[in-house]
Amino acid sequence: MQNDTIAGRVADAVRGHWVDTRAPEWLRPYARLARWERPIGWWLLLWPCWWSAALAGIAGGRALPDPWHLLLFMIGAIAMRGAGCTYNDLVDQDIDDKVARTRSRPLPSGQVTRGQAKFFLLLQLLVGLAVLLQFNGFAILLGIASLAVVAVYPFMKRVTNWPQLFLGLAFSWGALMGWAAAFGRLDWPAVALYCGGILWTIGYDTIYAHQDKEDDALVGVRSTARLFGTWTKPALAALYGGATVLFALALFGVDAGPAAFLGLAAGLAHLVWQIVRLDIDDPDQCLKLFRSNTSYGWILFAGLVLDAMVQALL
């Protein structure tokens, strides 16, 4: 029987996913590079975009956020998350080869060459560019500016205990983009949303990083999981609490109504549940709690959309 590496399966991927069972053989290594079998990544990249579009809808008196923008953000999030994963794997190939959870990824396992990965990276970036060009000039320039943060992120785990901060800077950029796409400028509610998104990202990626803390210590990779250690729960309380305060400021900034704040309160309850349930020494539970942030995204988005609809009817 073939082992997972020979068969091409990635150790930490969902078993029996369509990439391993239904995708054409030639496509599978590239789908694994882009993590298509793990949509949680592009959902986490997408949520700040959709929150920002919904926040802009409340500010602009719209009953619903612009559906064309929502679709563009989804396509862009899928493409750019895949590009980010491919770029990250190119940068981290030497590290991934030393970590049990990642050594079966397409590059360290030899499923694709570095040249093939670079070409695939370019294709994904072109899709992202095509999406970006659908927006106004200000949003286009703002989107291009995000590439500077994306470019440095993979190197941060080598030089700082706070690589999750740089992930937050990159993954929360959509909190600026949704507003910029709607108004062609930035205002402080969008900035507050962005700052809150950074804290939220540091929190959920700290949970994720606890899966690898032992291997990370052996190979010299730094993370907030290693930094916080047994103080992770208090740190998460501070991070998630700060994110909630900043999100509340963004809602106040657009005169949001009760439905938006109800969504924020329900979201906070979900984050508290994550902290209470967390066992930093249980990798499977860490992964489950990390993935539950998709639900958090839906809760906040639903509150924002419902509030916009109510306000438009008043």
Side-chain angles (χ1 to χ4, degrees), residues 59-300:
R62 296 176 58 101
L64 292 170
D66 189 319
W68 175 236
H69 286 179
L70 296 183
L71 177 62
L72 288 173
F73 284 135
M74 176 174 280
I75 297 170
I78 295 171
M80 294 308 295
R81 187 273 185 132
C85 288
T86 305
Y87 173 67
N88 195 73
D89 282 6
L90 282 163
V91 173
D92 285 348
Q93 184 175 352
D94 58 332
I95 294 176
D96 287 345
D97 193 42
K98 300 173 184 175
V99 176
R101 187 176 63 85
T102 58
R103 66 168 57 101
S104 56
R105 287 178 177 175
L107 273 167
S109 65
Q111 296 176 48
V112 295
T113 66
R114 291 184 65 82
Q116 290 169 328
K118 290 176 182 177
F119 181 71
F120 183 53
L121 170 62
L122 178 61
L123 290 179
Q124 293 173 99
L125 289 174
L126 289 175
V127 173
L129 178 62
V131 169
L132 186 61
L133 292 177
Q134 306 308 305
F135 296 114
N136 60 62
F138 181 82
I140 292 172
L141 292 176
L142 188 65
I144 292 173
S146 71
L147 295 178
V149 182
V150 173
V152 302
Y153 162 67
F155 300 98
M156 292 300 102
K157 64 175 69 73
R158 295 167 168 83
V159 298
T160 176
N161 291 324
W162 290 87
Q164 280 70 26
L165 168 61
F166 291 86
L167 181 69
L169 292 171
F171 259 56
S172 299
W173 200 269
L176 305 176
M177 291 297 298
W179 189 279
F183 298 122
R185 65 178 192 273
L186 284 179
D187 297 295
W188 75 262
V191 176
L193 186 71
Y194 176 58
C195 294
I198 293 170
L199 296 183
W200 174 58
T201 304
I202 296 171
Y204 70 63
D205 203 58
T206 297
I207 294 174
Y208 184 83
H210 270 290
Q211 297 177 93
D212 296 328
K213 57 179 179 285
E214 293 179 1
D215 283 334
D216 286 349
L218 291 174
V219 299
V221 169
R222 303 180 183 183
S223 71
T224 48
R226 293 185 60 201
L227 175 66
F228 298 153
T230 57
W231 289 89
T232 292
K233 287 194 175 187
L236 289 177
L239 290 164
Y240 283 161
T244 302
V245 169
L246 287 164
F247 291 157
L249 286 175
L251 297 183
F252 279 118
V254 297
D255 292 323
F261 285 97
L262 181 61
L264 184 62
L268 177 59
H270 179 86
L271 296 178
V272 170
W273 170 81
Q274 287 185 31
I275 296 170
V276 171
R277 290 294 306 275
L278 178 63
D279 178 353
I280 62 173
D281 296 317
D282 184 344
D284 291 338
Q285 189 200 58
C286 288
L287 182 59
K288 178 181 177 180
L289 293 175
F290 163 76
R291 287 174 173 165
S292 76
N293 281 282
T294 301
S295 300
Y296 177 76
W298 277 116
I299 292 168
L300 260 63

